[in-house]
Amino acid sequence: MKSIFFKSFLGLGTIVVFFALISCNKDNNANPADADREAIEKYATDNQLNGQFTSSGLYYVIEKPGSANHPTISSSITISYNGYYLDGTVFDKNDFITFPLSNLIRGWQEGIPLIGEGGIIKLVIPSYLAYNDGVRVFDVTLFQVSK
């Protein structure tokens, strides 16, 4: 009898905790994707960028389109880049580094193929296409594509 009561009590407790968690989230209806979009739009306006959004929410500005040789997800790319937060603080940079595109963040996998060899692109990447901790900006120069 004790075990039936204990199991019923645990089941009830689990239900109570579940509903408590749901009700806590009720007050927090902010969608992180919407917040990222607003931050990107503000950044673009403040910096007078003339770019566009992809369907995933990536914002990009092609500064130089480059050649007809565009990378695919299976390409290795040689690039230089500066990565920074919306406030301009640089958090990463590299010159002439080679990566398989498939190993990089989703924002790069989507954005870098928009240019060809010799191209330059600014990528303003929402957190869900990067590191899940805020919008990031990258200035990328694509030097070489190896297929």
Side-chain angles (χ1 to χ4, degrees):
M1 184 73 149
K2 269 186 178 178
S3 65
I4 293 172
F5 174 74
F6 186 67
K7 287 179 185 174
S8 296
F9 183 72
L10 278 179
L12 180 61
T14 303
I15 291 169
V16 169
V17 169
F18 175 75
F19 283 112
L21 289 173
I22 289 174
S23 66
C24 286
N25 286 335
K26 243 178 155 176
D27 296 330
N28 187 8
N29 287 329
N31 180 347
D34 291 341
D36 282 357
R37 176 94 179 201
E38 289 176 20
I40 292 169
E41 288 173 346
K42 181 177 179 348
Y43 179 83
T45 299
D46 291 350
N47 291 280
Q48 300 175 346
L49 298 179
N50 186 19
Q52 55 191 329
F53 282 95
T54 65
S55 61
S56 70
L58 171 70
Y59 185 84
Y60 67 95
V61 179
I62 296 176
E63 297 172 4
K64 183 178 175 188
S67 75
N69 188 19
H70 290 242
T72 65
I73 194 66
S74 60
S75 300
S76 286
I77 56 171
T78 301
I79 60 172
S80 289
Y81 69 90
N82 287 324
Y84 44 97
Y85 300 105
L86 293 179
D87 68 2
T89 304
V90 174
F91 68 86
D92 193 11
K93 66 188 270 183
N94 256 305
D95 289 323
F96 299 101
I97 189 160
T98 301
F99 297 107
L101 187 56
S102 62
N103 289 357
L104 302 176
I105 59 173
R106 284 183 45 213
W108 281 26
Q109 290 175 358
E110 183 179 341
I112 292 175
L114 297 172
I115 58 173
E117 283 183 332
I120 300 171
I121 193 167
K122 179 182 292 293
L123 301 172
V124 187
I125 305 176
S127 58
Y128 55 89
L129 295 178
Y131 307 107
N132 288 317
D133 67 349
V135 175
R136 305 288 178 107
V137 181
F138 292 91
D139 292 321
V140 180
T141 301
L142 176 60
F143 294 105
Q144 185 177 8
V145 176
S146 303
K147 300 200 181 212

Coordinates of all heavy atoms in Angstrom, one line a residue, residues 48-134:
Q48 N 24.2 51.8 -41.2 CA 23.8 52.1 -42.5 C 24.2 51.0 -43.5 O 24.7 51.2 -44.6 CB 24.4 53.5 -43.0 CG 24.0 54.6 -42.1 CD 24.7 55.9 -42.4 OE1 25.7 55.9 -43.1 NE2 24.2 57.0 -41.9
L49 N 23.8 49.8 -43.1 CA 24.1 48.6 -44.0 C 22.9 48.4 -44.9 O 21.8 48.6 -44.6 CB 24.3 47.4 -43.1 CG 25.4 47.4 -42.1 CD1 25.4 46.1 -41.3 CD2 26.7 47.6 -42.8
N50 N 23.3 48.1 -46.1 CA 22.3 47.8 -47.1 C 22.3 46.3 -47.5 O 22.9 46.0 -48.6 CB 22.5 48.7 -48.4 CG 21.4 48.6 -49.4 OD1 20.3 48.1 -49.1 ND2 21.7 48.9 -50.6
G51 N 21.8 45.5 -46.6 CA 21.9 44.1 -46.9 C 20.5 43.4 -46.9 O 19.5 44.1 -47.1
Q52 N 20.5 42.1 -46.7 CA 19.2 41.5 -46.8 C 19.2 40.2 -45.9 O 20.3 39.7 -45.5 CB 18.8 41.1 -48.2 CG 19.8 40.3 -48.9 CD 19.4 40.2 -50.4 OE1 18.2 40.2 -50.8 NE2 20.4 40.1 -51.3
F53 N 18.1 39.8 -45.5 CA 17.9 38.6 -44.7 C 17.7 37.4 -45.5 O 17.0 37.5 -46.6 CB 16.7 38.7 -43.7 CG 16.9 39.6 -42.5 CD1 16.6 40.9 -42.6 CD2 17.5 39.1 -41.4 CE1 16.8 41.7 -41.4 CE2 17.7 39.9 -40.3 CZ 17.4 41.2 -40.3
T54 N 18.2 36.2 -45.1 CA 17.8 35.0 -45.7 C 16.6 34.5 -45.0 O 16.2 35.0 -43.9 CB 19.0 33.9 -45.6 OG1 19.2 33.6 -44.2 CG2 20.3 34.4 -46.2
S55 N 16.0 33.4 -45.4 CA 14.8 32.9 -44.8 C 15.1 32.3 -43.4 O 14.2 32.3 -42.5 CB 14.2 31.7 -45.6 OG 15.1 30.7 -45.8
S56 N 16.4 32.0 -43.1 CA 16.7 31.5 -41.7 C 16.9 32.6 -40.7 O 17.1 32.4 -39.5 CB 18.0 30.7 -41.8 OG 19.1 31.5 -42.1
G57 N 17.1 33.9 -41.2 CA 17.3 35.0 -40.3 C 18.7 35.6 -40.4 O 19.1 36.5 -39.7
L58 N 19.6 35.0 -41.2 CA 21.0 35.5 -41.4 C 20.9 36.8 -42.2 O 20.1 36.9 -43.2 CB 21.8 34.5 -42.2 CG 23.1 34.9 -42.7 CD1 24.1 35.1 -41.6 CD2 23.7 33.9 -43.7
Y59 N 21.6 37.8 -41.8 CA 21.6 39.1 -42.5 C 23.0 39.2 -43.1 O 24.0 38.9 -42.5 CB 21.4 40.2 -41.5 CG 21.3 41.6 -42.2 CD1 20.1 42.1 -42.7 CD2 22.5 42.4 -42.3 CE1 20.1 43.3 -43.3 CE2 22.4 43.7 -42.9 CZ 21.2 44.1 -43.4 OH 21.1 45.3 -44.0
Y60 N 23.0 39.6 -44.4 CA 24.3 39.6 -45.1 C 24.4 40.8 -46.0 O 23.4 41.3 -46.5 CB 24.6 38.4 -45.9 CG 23.7 38.1 -47.0 CD1 24.1 38.5 -48.3 CD2 22.4 37.5 -46.9 CE1 23.2 38.3 -49.4 CE2 21.6 37.3 -47.9 CZ 22.0 37.7 -49.2 OH 21.2 37.5 -50.3
V61 N 25.6 41.3 -46.2 CA 25.9 42.4 -47.2 C 27.1 41.9 -48.0 O 28.2 41.6 -47.5 CB 26.3 43.7 -46.4 CG1 26.7 44.7 -47.5 CG2 25.3 44.1 -45.5
I62 N 26.9 41.7 -49.3 CA 27.9 41.3 -50.2 C 28.7 42.6 -50.6 O 28.1 43.4 -51.3 CB 27.4 40.5 -51.4 CG1 26.8 39.2 -51.0 CG2 28.5 40.3 -52.4 CD1 26.1 38.4 -52.1
E63 N 29.9 42.7 -50.1 CA 30.7 43.9 -50.4 C 31.5 43.7 -51.7 O 31.7 44.7 -52.4 CB 31.6 44.2 -49.3 CG 30.8 44.5 -48.0 CD 31.7 44.6 -46.7 OE1 32.9 44.5 -46.8 OE2 31.1 44.8 -45.7
K64 N 31.8 42.5 -52.1 CA 32.4 42.1 -53.4 C 32.0 40.7 -53.7 O 32.3 39.8 -52.9 CB 33.9 42.3 -53.2 CG 34.7 42.0 -54.5 CD 36.2 42.2 -54.2 CE 37.0 41.9 -55.4 NZ 38.5 41.9 -55.1
P65 N 31.4 40.5 -54.8 CA 30.8 39.2 -55.1 C 31.8 38.1 -55.4 O 31.6 36.9 -55.1 CB 29.9 39.4 -56.3 CG 30.3 40.7 -56.9 CD 31.0 41.5 -55.8
G66 N 33.0 38.4 -55.9 CA 34.0 37.4 -56.2 C 33.7 36.7 -57.5 O 32.9 37.2 -58.3
S67 N 34.4 35.7 -57.7 CA 34.4 34.9 -59.0 C 33.1 34.0 -59.0 O 32.4 34.0 -58.1 CB 35.6 34.1 -59.2 OG 35.6 33.0 -58.4
A68 N 33.0 33.3 -60.1 CA 31.9 32.3 -60.2 C 32.2 31.0 -59.4 O 31.3 30.2 -59.3 CB 31.7 32.0 -61.7
N69 N 33.4 30.9 -58.9 CA 33.7 29.7 -58.1 C 33.3 29.8 -56.7 O 34.0 30.4 -55.8 CB 35.2 29.4 -58.2 CG 35.6 28.1 -57.6 OD1 34.8 27.2 -57.4 ND2 36.9 27.9 -57.3
H70 N 32.0 29.4 -56.4 CA 31.4 29.5 -55.0 C 31.6 28.2 -54.3 O 31.6 27.1 -54.9 CB 29.9 29.8 -55.1 CG 29.6 31.1 -55.6 ND1 28.9 32.0 -54.8 CD2 29.9 31.8 -56.8 CE1 28.8 33.2 -55.5 NE2 29.4 33.0 -56.7
P71 N 31.9 28.2 -53.0 CA 32.0 27.0 -52.2 C 30.7 26.3 -52.0 O 29.6 26.9 -52.1 CB 32.6 27.4 -50.9 CG 32.1 28.8 -50.8 CD 32.0 29.4 -52.2
T72 N 30.7 25.0 -51.8 CA 29.6 24.2 -51.4 C 29.9 23.7 -50.0 O 31.0 23.8 -49.5 CB 29.3 23.0 -52.3 OG1 30.4 22.1 -52.2 CG2 29.1 23.5 -53.7
I73 N 28.9 23.0 -49.3 CA 29.1 22.5 -48.0 C 30.3 21.6 -47.9 O 30.9 21.4 -46.9 CB 27.8 21.9 -47.4 CG1 27.9 21.7 -45.9 CG2 27.5 20.6 -48.1 CD1 28.0 22.9 -45.1
S74 N 30.6 20.9 -49.0 CA 31.7 19.9 -49.0 C 33.1 20.5 -49.4 O 34.1 19.8 -49.4 CB 31.4 18.7 -49.9 OG 31.2 19.2 -51.3
S75 N 33.1 21.9 -49.6 CA 34.4 22.5 -49.9 C 35.2 22.9 -48.7 O 34.7 23.0 -47.6 CB 34.1 23.9 -50.6 OG 33.3 23.7 -51.8
S76 N 36.5 23.0 -48.9 CA 37.4 23.6 -48.0 C 37.6 25.1 -48.5 O 37.7 25.3 -49.7 CB 38.7 22.9 -47.9 OG 38.6 21.7 -47.2
I77 N 37.6 26.0 -47.5 CA 37.8 27.4 -47.9 C 39.0 28.0 -47.2 O 39.3 27.6 -46.0 CB 36.5 28.2 -47.5 CG1 36.1 28.0 -46.0 CG2 35.3 27.7 -48.4 CD1 35.0 28.9 -45.6
T78 N 39.6 28.9 -47.8 CA 40.7 29.7 -47.2 C 40.2 31.1 -47.1 O 39.8 31.7 -48.2 CB 42.0 29.6 -48.1 OG1 42.4 28.2 -48.2 CG2 43.1 30.4 -47.4
I79 N 40.2 31.6 -45.9 CA 39.6 32.9 -45.6 C 40.4 33.7 -44.7 O 41.3 33.2 -44.0 CB 38.2 32.7 -45.0 CG1 38.2 32.0 -43.7 CG2 37.2 32.1 -46.0 CD1 36.9 31.9 -42.9
S80 N 40.1 35.0 -44.6 CA 40.5 35.9 -43.5 C 39.2 36.4 -42.9 O 38.2 36.6 -43.7 CB 41.3 37.0 -44.0 OG 42.6 36.6 -44.4
Y81 N 39.1 36.6 -41.6 CA 37.9 37.1 -41.0 C 38.2 37.9 -39.8 O 39.2 37.7 -39.1 CB 36.9 36.0 -40.8 CG 37.3 35.1 -39.7 CD1 37.0 35.3 -38.3 CD2 38.1 33.9 -39.9 CE1 37.4 34.5 -37.3 CE2 38.5 33.1 -38.9 CZ 38.1 33.3 -37.6 OH 38.5 32.5 -36.6
N82 N 37.3 38.8 -39.4 CA 37.2 39.4 -38.1 C 35.8 39.1 -37.6 O 34.8 39.3 -38.3 CB 37.3 41.0 -38.3 CG 38.7 41.4 -38.6 OD1 39.7 40.8 -38.1 ND2 38.9 42.4 -39.4
G83 N 35.7 38.7 -36.3 CA 34.5 38.5 -35.7 C 34.3 39.4 -34.5 O 35.2 39.6 -33.7
Y84 N 33.1 40.0 -34.4 CA 32.9 40.9 -33.3 C 31.5 41.0 -32.9 O 30.6 40.5 -33.6 CB 33.4 42.4 -33.7 CG 33.0 42.8 -35.1 CD1 31.9 43.6 -35.2 CD2 33.8 42.5 -36.2 CE1 31.6 44.1 -36.5 CE2 33.4 42.9 -37.4 CZ 32.3 43.7 -37.6 OH 32.0 44.2 -38.8
Y85 N 31.3 41.5 -31.7 CA 30.0 41.6 -31.1 C 29.3 42.9 -31.7 O 30.0 43.7 -32.3 CB 30.0 41.8 -29.6 CG 30.7 40.6 -28.9 CD1 32.0 40.6 -28.4 CD2 29.9 39.4 -28.8 CE1 32.5 39.5 -27.8 CE2 30.5 38.3 -28.1 CZ 31.8 38.4 -27.6 OH 32.3 37.3 -27.0
L86 N 28.0 43.1 -31.5 CA 27.3 44.2 -32.0 C 27.9 45.5 -31.5 O 27.8 46.6 -32.2 CB 25.8 44.1 -31.7 CG 25.1 43.0 -32.3 CD1 23.6 43.0 -31.9 CD2 25.2 43.1 -33.8
D87 N 28.6 45.5 -30.4 CA 29.2 46.8 -29.9 C 30.5 47.1 -30.5 O 31.2 48.1 -30.1 CB 29.2 46.8 -28.3 CG 30.2 45.8 -27.8 OD1 30.9 45.1 -28.6 OD2 30.4 45.7 -26.6
G88 N 31.0 46.2 -31.4 CA 32.3 46.4 -32.1 C 33.4 45.7 -31.4 O 34.5 45.8 -32.0
T89 N 33.3 45.1 -30.3 CA 34.4 44.4 -29.6 C 34.7 43.2 -30.4 O 33.9 42.3 -30.6 CB 34.0 44.0 -28.2 OG1 33.5 45.2 -27.5 CG2 35.1 43.3 -27.4
V90 N 36.0 43.1 -30.8 CA 36.5 42.0 -31.6 C 36.7 40.8 -30.6 O 37.3 40.9 -29.6 CB 37.8 42.3 -32.3 CG1 38.4 41.1 -33.0 CG2 37.6 43.4 -33.3
F91 N 36.2 39.6 -31.0 CA 36.3 38.4 -30.2 C 37.2 37.4 -30.9 O 37.7 36.4 -30.3 CB 35.0 37.8 -29.7 CG 34.2 37.2 -30.8 CD1 34.4 35.9 -31.2 CD2 33.2 38.0 -31.4 CE1 33.6 35.4 -32.3 CE2 32.5 37.5 -32.5 CZ 32.7 36.2 -32.9
D92 N 37.4 37.5 -32.2 CA 38.2 36.5 -32.9 C 38.6 37.1 -34.3 O 37.9 37.9 -34.9 CB 37.3 35.3 -33.2 CG 38.2 34.1 -33.6 OD1 39.4 34.1 -33.6 OD2 37.5 33.1 -34.1
K93 N 39.7 36.7 -34.7 CA 40.2 37.1 -36.1 C 41.3 36.2 -36.5 O 42.0 35.6 -35.7 CB 40.7 38.6 -36.1 CG 41.9 38.9 -35.3 CD 42.2 40.4 -35.3 CE 43.1 40.8 -36.4 NZ 43.4 42.2 -36.4
N94 N 41.3 36.0 -37.8 CA 42.3 35.1 -38.4 C 42.6 35.5 -39.8 O 41.7 36.0 -40.5 CB 41.8 33.6 -38.5 CG 42.4 32.8 -37.4 OD1 43.6 32.7 -37.3 ND2 41.6 32.2 -36.6
D95 N 43.8 35.4 -40.3 CA 44.2 35.7 -41.6 C 44.7 34.4 -42.3 O 45.5 33.6 -41.8 CB 45.4 36.7 -41.6 CG 44.9 38.1 -41.2 OD1 43.8 38.4 -41.6 OD2 45.7 38.7 -40.5
F96 N 44.2 34.2 -43.5 CA 44.6 33.0 -44.4 C 44.5 31.7 -43.6 O 45.6 31.0 -43.5 CB 46.0 33.3 -45.0 CG 46.0 34.5 -45.8 CD1 46.5 35.7 -45.4 CD2 45.4 34.5 -47.1 CE1 46.5 36.8 -46.2 CE2 45.4 35.6 -47.9 CZ 46.0 36.8 -47.4
I97 N 43.4 31.3 -43.2 CA 43.2 30.1 -42.5 C 42.2 29.2 -43.4 O 41.3 29.8 -44.0 CB 42.6 30.3 -41.1 CG1 42.6 29.0 -40.3 CG2 41.3 31.0 -41.1 CD1 42.6 29.1 -38.8
T98 N 42.5 27.9 -43.4 CA 41.7 27.0 -44.2 C 40.8 26.1 -43.3 O 41.3 25.6 -42.3 CB 42.6 26.1 -45.1 OG1 43.3 27.0 -45.9 CG2 41.8 25.2 -46.0
F99 N 39.5 26.0 -43.6 CA 38.6 25.1 -42.9 C 37.7 24.4 -43.9 O 37.4 24.9 -45.0 CB 37.6 26.0 -42.1 CG 38.1 26.9 -41.1 CD1 38.2 28.2 -41.2 CD2 38.5 26.4 -39.8 CE1 38.6 29.1 -40.2 CE2 38.9 27.2 -38.8 CZ 39.0 28.6 -39.0
P100 N 37.3 23.2 -43.5 CA 36.2 22.6 -44.3 C 34.9 23.4 -43.9 O 34.6 23.6 -42.7 CB 36.1 21.1 -43.7 CG 37.3 20.9 -42.9 CD 37.8 22.3 -42.5
L101 N 34.2 23.8 -44.9 CA 33.0 24.6 -44.6 C 32.0 23.8 -43.7 O 31.3 24.4 -42.9 CB 32.3 25.1 -45.9 CG 31.1 26.0 -45.8 CD1 31.5 27.3 -45.0 CD2 30.6 26.4 -47.2
S102 N 31.9 22.5 -43.9 CA 31.0 21.7 -43.1 C 31.3 21.7 -41.6 O 30.4 21.3 -40.9 CB 31.0 20.3 -43.7 OG 32.3 19.7 -43.5
N103 N 32.5 22.1 -41.2 CA 32.8 22.1 -39.8 C 32.6 23.5 -39.1 O 32.8 23.6 -38.0 CB 34.3 21.8 -39.6 CG 34.7 20.4 -39.9 OD1 33.8 19.6 -40.2 ND2 35.9 20.1 -39.9
L104 N 32.0 24.4 -39.9 CA 31.8 25.8 -39.3 C 30.4 26.0 -38.9 O 29.5 25.2 -39.2 CB 32.3 26.8 -40.4 CG 33.7 26.6 -40.9 CD1 34.0 27.6 -42.0 CD2 34.7 26.8 -39.7
I105 N 30.2 27.1 -38.2 CA 28.8 27.4 -37.7 C 27.9 27.5 -38.9 O 28.2 27.9 -40.0 CB 28.8 28.7 -36.8 CG1 29.3 29.9 -37.6 CG2 29.6 28.5 -35.6 CD1 29.2 31.2 -36.9
R106 N 26.6 27.3 -38.6 CA 25.6 27.3 -39.6 C 25.5 28.6 -40.4 O 25.2 28.7 -41.6 CB 24.2 27.0 -39.0 CG 24.1 25.5 -38.7 CD 22.7 25.1 -38.2 NE 21.6 25.7 -38.9 CZ 20.5 26.1 -38.4 NH1 20.2 25.9 -37.1 NH2 19.5 26.6 -39.1
G107 N 25.7 29.7 -39.7 CA 25.7 31.1 -40.3 C 26.7 31.2 -41.4 O 26.5 31.8 -42.4
W108 N 27.9 30.6 -41.2 CA 28.9 30.6 -42.2 C 28.6 29.6 -43.3 O 28.9 29.9 -44.5 CB 30.3 30.3 -41.6 CG 30.9 31.4 -40.8 CD1 30.3 32.5 -40.3 CD2 32.3 31.6 -40.6 NE1 31.2 33.3 -39.7 CE2 32.5 32.8 -39.9 CE3 33.4 30.8 -40.9 CZ2 33.7 33.2 -39.5 CZ3 34.7 31.3 -40.5 CH2 34.8 32.5 -39.8
Q109 N 28.1 28.5 -43.0 CA 27.7 27.5 -44.0 C 26.7 28.1 -45.0 O 26.7 27.7 -46.1 CB 27.2 26.2 -43.3 CG 28.2 25.4 -42.6 CD 27.6 24.3 -41.8 OE1 26.4 24.0 -41.8 NE2 28.4 23.5 -41.1
E110 N 25.8 28.9 -44.5 CA 24.8 29.5 -45.3 C 25.3 30.8 -46.0 O 25.0 31.0 -47.2 CB 23.6 29.9 -44.4 CG 22.5 30.4 -45.2 CD 21.3 30.8 -44.3 OE1 21.2 30.3 -43.2 OE2 20.4 31.6 -44.8
G111 N 26.1 31.6 -45.3 CA 26.5 32.9 -45.8 C 27.7 32.9 -46.8 O 27.7 33.6 -47.8
I112 N 28.7 32.1 -46.5 CA 29.9 32.1 -47.3 C 29.7 31.7 -48.7 O 30.2 32.3 -49.7 CB 31.1 31.4 -46.6 CG1 31.5 32.2 -45.4 CG2 32.3 31.2 -47.5 CD1 32.6 31.6 -44.5
P113 N 28.8 30.7 -49.0 CA 28.6 30.3 -50.4 C 27.9 31.4 -51.2 O 27.8 31.2 -52.4 CB 27.7 29.1 -50.3 CG 28.1 28.5 -48.9 CD 28.3 29.7 -48.1
L114 N 27.5 32.5 -50.6 CA 26.8 33.6 -51.4 C 27.9 34.4 -52.2 O 27.5 35.2 -53.0 CB 26.1 34.5 -50.4 CG 24.9 33.8 -49.7 CD1 24.4 34.8 -48.6 CD2 23.8 33.4 -50.6
I115 N 29.2 34.1 -51.9 CA 30.2 34.8 -52.6 C 31.1 33.8 -53.2 O 31.2 32.6 -52.8 CB 31.0 35.8 -51.7 CG1 31.7 35.0 -50.5 CG2 30.2 36.9 -51.2 CD1 32.6 35.9 -49.7
G116 N 31.9 34.2 -54.2 CA 32.9 33.4 -54.9 C 34.3 33.7 -54.4 O 34.5 34.7 -53.6
E117 N 35.3 33.0 -55.0 CA 36.7 33.3 -54.6 C 37.0 34.8 -54.9 O 36.5 35.4 -55.9 CB 37.6 32.5 -55.5 CG 37.7 31.1 -55.0 CD 38.7 30.3 -55.9 OE1 39.0 30.6 -57.0 OE2 39.3 29.3 -55.3
G118 N 37.6 35.4 -54.0 CA 37.9 36.9 -54.1 C 36.8 37.7 -53.5 O 37.0 39.0 -53.4
G119 N 35.7 37.1 -53.0 CA 34.6 37.9 -52.5 C 34.8 38.3 -51.1 O 35.6 37.7 -50.3
I120 N 34.0 39.3 -50.7 CA 34.0 39.8 -49.4 C 32.5 40.0 -48.9 O 31.7 40.5 -49.7 CB 34.7 41.2 -49.3 CG1 36.2 41.1 -49.7 CG2 34.6 41.8 -47.9 CD1 36.8 42.4 -49.9
I121 N 32.3 39.5 -47.7 CA 30.9 39.5 -47.2 C 30.9 39.9 -45.7 O 31.8 39.5 -45.0 CB 30.2 38.1 -47.5 CG1 28.7 38.3 -47.2 CG2 30.8 37.0 -46.6 CD1 27.9 37.0 -47.8
K122 N 29.8 40.6 -45.3 CA 29.6 40.9 -43.9 C 28.4 40.0 -43.5 O 27.4 40.0 -44.2 CB 29.3 42.3 -43.7 CG 29.0 42.6 -42.2 CD 28.6 44.1 -41.9 CE 29.7 45.0 -42.2 NZ 30.8 44.9 -41.2
L123 N 28.6 39.2 -42.5 CA 27.5 38.3 -42.0 C 27.1 38.8 -40.6 O 28.0 38.9 -39.7 CB 28.0 36.9 -41.9 CG 28.5 36.2 -43.3 CD1 29.2 34.9 -43.0 CD2 27.4 36.1 -44.2
V124 N 25.9 39.0 -40.4 CA 25.3 39.4 -39.1 C 24.5 38.2 -38.7 O 23.4 38.0 -39.3 CB 24.6 40.7 -39.1 CG1 24.2 41.1 -37.7 CG2 25.4 41.8 -39.7
I125 N 25.0 37.4 -37.8 CA 24.4 36.0 -37.6 C 23.7 36.0 -36.2 O 24.2 36.3 -35.2 CB 25.6 35.0 -37.6 CG1 26.4 35.1 -38.9 CG2 25.0 33.6 -37.4 CD1 27.6 34.2 -38.9
P126 N 22.4 35.6 -36.3 CA 21.6 35.4 -35.1 C 22.2 34.3 -34.2 O 22.9 33.4 -34.8 CB 20.2 35.1 -35.6 CG 20.4 34.6 -37.0 CD 21.6 35.2 -37.5
S127 N 22.0 34.4 -33.0 CA 22.6 33.4 -32.0 C 22.3 31.9 -32.4 O 23.2 31.1 -32.3 CB 22.1 33.7 -30.6 OG 20.7 33.6 -30.5
Y128 N 21.1 31.6 -32.9 CA 20.7 30.3 -33.2 C 21.4 29.7 -34.4 O 21.4 28.5 -34.7 CB 19.2 30.1 -33.3 CG 18.6 31.0 -34.3 CD1 18.4 30.6 -35.6 CD2 18.1 32.2 -33.9 CE1 17.9 31.5 -36.6 CE2 17.5 33.1 -34.8 CZ 17.4 32.7 -36.1 OH 16.8 33.5 -37.1
L129 N 22.1 30.6 -35.2 CA 22.9 30.1 -36.3 C 24.4 30.2 -36.0 O 25.3 30.0 -36.9 CB 22.6 30.9 -37.6 CG 21.3 30.8 -38.1 CD1 21.1 31.7 -39.4 CD2 20.9 29.3 -38.5
A130 N 24.7 30.5 -34.7 CA 26.1 30.6 -34.3 C 26.4 29.9 -33.0 O 26.4 28.7 -33.0 CB 26.5 32.1 -34.3
Y131 N 26.6 30.7 -31.9 CA 27.0 30.2 -30.7 C 25.9 30.2 -29.6 O 26.2 29.9 -28.4 CB 28.2 30.9 -30.2 CG 29.3 31.0 -31.2 CD1 29.6 32.2 -31.9 CD2 30.1 29.9 -31.5 CE1 30.6 32.3 -32.8 CE2 31.1 30.0 -32.5 CZ 31.3 31.1 -33.1 OH 32.3 31.2 -34.1
N132 N 24.7 30.5 -29.9 CA 23.6 30.6 -29.0 C 23.8 31.5 -27.8 O 23.3 31.3 -26.7 CB 23.2 29.2 -28.5 CG 22.6 28.3 -29.5 OD1 21.7 28.8 -30.3 ND2 23.0 27.1 -29.6
D133 N 24.6 32.6 -28.0 CA 24.8 33.5 -26.9 C 24.9 34.9 -27.4 O 25.6 35.8 -26.9 CB 26.1 33.2 -26.1 CG 27.4 33.3 -26.9 OD1 27.3 33.5 -28.2 OD2 28.5 33.3 -26.3
G134 N 24.1 35.2 -28.4 CA 24.0 36.6 -28.9 C 24.4 36.7 -30.4 O 25.0 35.8 -30.9

